[in-house]
């Protein structure tokens, strides 16, 4: 069943809605009916009790409460409080489609707004527990392999560059055959990190699957909760960028993915503060002669 469009100001994407939309594909049918009502009638919802909402959606009170808990709230009352706050906050303009007549100043504004919105949205759906698991796994890994093809290839290299600076034994791969061979050699204690906006890259998904089968810990960074990569990722890190212009480029999602990589890097460095500082200084000194 397709998710219904929310009847809210289209230039406003508050945190509670981002969480609800991000969790939607994984909800049960009854929970989706509640979500559909919330997205379509947010102004009306804040005046409804949990019993009234259950009656309006032909569900139960427990279904309503379970939905609120799934998207990160203690219960229905806390969700209503956050929703009310989101509805009265000043609208945040998001990136509309770039039109043929737009001048460069308008294009600049739309692109910057889209990237900023992608970060605001992603921080709402990026689960702290999953992020902590990823940091722990990376910090203690014997070996780290990072997979990304196409537009995700440079992101894999960025992760490799950052992890290298803090002394992690990492490698970035973007060739399908090399990913297949290398992932087949991983073992318990190793980590495989796959990056794919769509989550449907066969090379990346197959490599993660092979790494998981060999006992390595697998981490996936993706946009889609129901994509193939999630089936082979023990740890799942999601972005929430909204594409409205050049959709196939997933440009805003790339900014969110880079920021997740930055967070992993800083998280690992923070976990081993003194050692990380020493490694960073050593790598900086190693390249000092290459700068003017």
């Amino acid at each position: 069943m397709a998710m219904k469009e929310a009847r809210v100001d289209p230039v406003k994407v508050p945190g509670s809605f981002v969480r609800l939309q991000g969790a939607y594909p994984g909800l049960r049918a009854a929970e989706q009916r509640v979500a559909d009502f919330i997205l379509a009638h947010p102004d009306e919802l804040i005046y409804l009790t949990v019993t009234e909402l259950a009656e309006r959606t032909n569900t139960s009170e427990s279904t309503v409460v379970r939905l609120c808990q799934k998207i990160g709230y203690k219960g229905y009352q806390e969700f209503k409080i956050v929703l009310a706050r989101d509805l009265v906050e000043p609208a945040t303009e998001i990136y509309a489609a770039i039109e043929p007549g737009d001048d460069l100043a308008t294009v600049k504004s739309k692109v910057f707004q889209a990237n900023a919105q992608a970060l605001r949205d992603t921080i709402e759906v990026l689960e702290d527990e999953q992020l902590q698991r990823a940091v722990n796994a990376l910090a203690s890994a014997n070996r780290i392999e990072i997979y990304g093809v196409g537009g995700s290839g440079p992101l894999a290299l960025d992760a490799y560059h950052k992890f290298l600076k803090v002394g992690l034994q990492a490698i970035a791969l973007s060739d399908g055959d090399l990913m297949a061979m290398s992932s087949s050699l991983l073992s318990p204690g190793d980590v495989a990190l796959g990056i794919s906006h769509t989550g449907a890259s066969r090379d990346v998904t197959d490599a993660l699957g092979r790494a998981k089968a060999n006992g390595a810990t697998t981490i996936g960074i993706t946009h889609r909760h129901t994509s193939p990569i999630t089936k082979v990722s023990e740890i799942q890190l999601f972005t929430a960028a909204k594409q409205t212009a050049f959709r196939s480029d997933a440009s805003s999602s790339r900014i969110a993915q880079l920021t997740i990589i930055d967070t992993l890097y800083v998280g690992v460095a923070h976990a081993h503060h003194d050692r990380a500082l020493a490694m960073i200084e050593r790598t900086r000194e190693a390249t000092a002669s290459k700068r003017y």
Side-chain angles (χ1 to χ4, degrees), residues 154-234:
L155 302 182
L157 285 172
D158 182 74
Y160 164 65
H161 175 251
K162 287 185 169 65
F163 295 159
L164 177 66
K165 290 198 297 183
V166 291
L168 298 182
Q169 299 300 310
I171 185 173
L173 297 169
S174 59
D175 178 86
D177 287 345
L178 290 176
M179 288 159 55
M181 290 187 291
S182 195
S183 61
S184 72
L185 300 176
L186 294 182
S187 59
D190 297 330
V191 172
L193 168 61
I195 306 169
S196 172
H197 171 67
T198 64
S201 168
R202 185 177 297 277
D203 285 339
V204 173
T205 300
D206 288 351
L208 283 184
R210 194 171 289 104
K212 183 178 181 181
N214 289 328
T217 299
T218 54
I219 305 171
I221 299 178
T222 187
H223 177 68
R224 298 178 181 173
H225 289 65
T226 57
S227 59
I229 198 175
T230 63
K231 306 300 188 296
V232 293
S233 300
E234 299 171 60

Side-chain angles (χ1 to χ4, degrees), residues 3-260:
M3 182 171 64
K4 297 178 182 177
E5 293 295 326
R7 292 198 309 183
V8 294
D9 186 341
V11 300
K12 182 186 181 74
V13 186
S16 55
F17 287 98
V18 172
R19 292 191 184 193
L20 191 58
Q21 290 166 339
Y24 191 94
L27 300 178
R28 298 177 179 177
E31 294 166 346
Q32 287 185 342
R33 289 204 301 274
V34 178
D36 288 337
F37 183 91
I38 294 172
L39 292 169
H41 310 284
D43 295 316
E44 183 178 348
L45 179 77
I46 60 178
Y47 300 106
L48 297 179
T49 66
V50 64
T51 302
E52 290 170 333
L53 177 57
E55 291 175 350
R56 294 287 293 275
T57 57
N58 294 315
T59 60
S60 64
E61 294 179 10
S62 61
T63 296
V64 174
V65 173
R66 186 168 59 246
L67 169 64
C68 295
Q69 292 174 339
K70 278 189 175 182
I71 59 176
Y73 302 103
K74 295 179 181 178
Y76 180 61
Q77 289 304 316
E78 183 181 43
F79 172 70
K80 282 211 305 182
I81 291 171
V82 175
L83 175 66
R85 181 201 66 196
D86 287 342
L87 289 174
V88 300
E89 282 182 349
T92 301
E93 185 178 357
I94 65 169
Y95 176 30
I98 295 176
E99 304 294 342
D102 287 345
D103 59 18
L104 185 56
T106 301
V107 170
K108 176 191 70 175
S109 178
K110 289 181 177 180
V111 171
F112 272 73
Q113 288 167 3
N115 290 344
Q117 189 67 48
L119 296 180
R120 284 190 291 266
D121 290 351
T122 295
I123 201 171
E124 293 289 344
V125 301
L126 185 60
E127 296 181 8
D128 290 341
E129 184 266 339
Q130 294 287 302
L131 193 63
Q132 186 64 63
R133 288 180 61 198
V135 168
N136 292 345
L138 291 166
S140 60
N142 297 323
R143 175 181 174 84
I144 300 167
E145 293 193 353
I146 311 157
Y147 309 134
V149 298
S152 296
L155 302 182
L157 285 172
D158 182 74
Y160 164 65
H161 175 251
K162 287 185 169 65
F163 295 159
L164 177 66
K165 290 198 297 183
V166 291
L168 298 182
Q169 299 300 310
I171 185 173
L173 297 169
S174 59
D175 178 86
D177 287 345
L178 290 176
M179 288 159 55
M181 290 187 291
S182 195
S183 61
S184 72
L185 300 176
L186 294 182
S187 59
D190 297 330
V191 172
L193 168 61
I195 306 169
S196 172
H197 171 67
T198 64
S201 168
R202 185 177 297 277
D203 285 339
V204 173
T205 300
D206 288 351
L208 283 184
R210 194 171 289 104
K212 183 178 181 181
N214 289 328
T217 299
T218 54
I219 305 171
I221 299 178
T222 187
H223 177 68
R224 298 178 181 173
H225 289 65
T226 57
S227 59
I229 198 175
T230 63
K231 306 300 188 296
V232 293
S233 300
E234 299 171 60
I235 302 171
Q236 301 171 1
L237 306 175
F238 294 106
T239 61
K242 294 179 178 294
Q243 302 300 319
T244 56
F246 303 105
R247 302 179 73 94
S248 62
D249 291 341
S251 55
S252 294
S253 183
R254 185 181 69 251
I255 298 300
Q257 290 171 331
L258 283 169
T259 305
I260 290 176

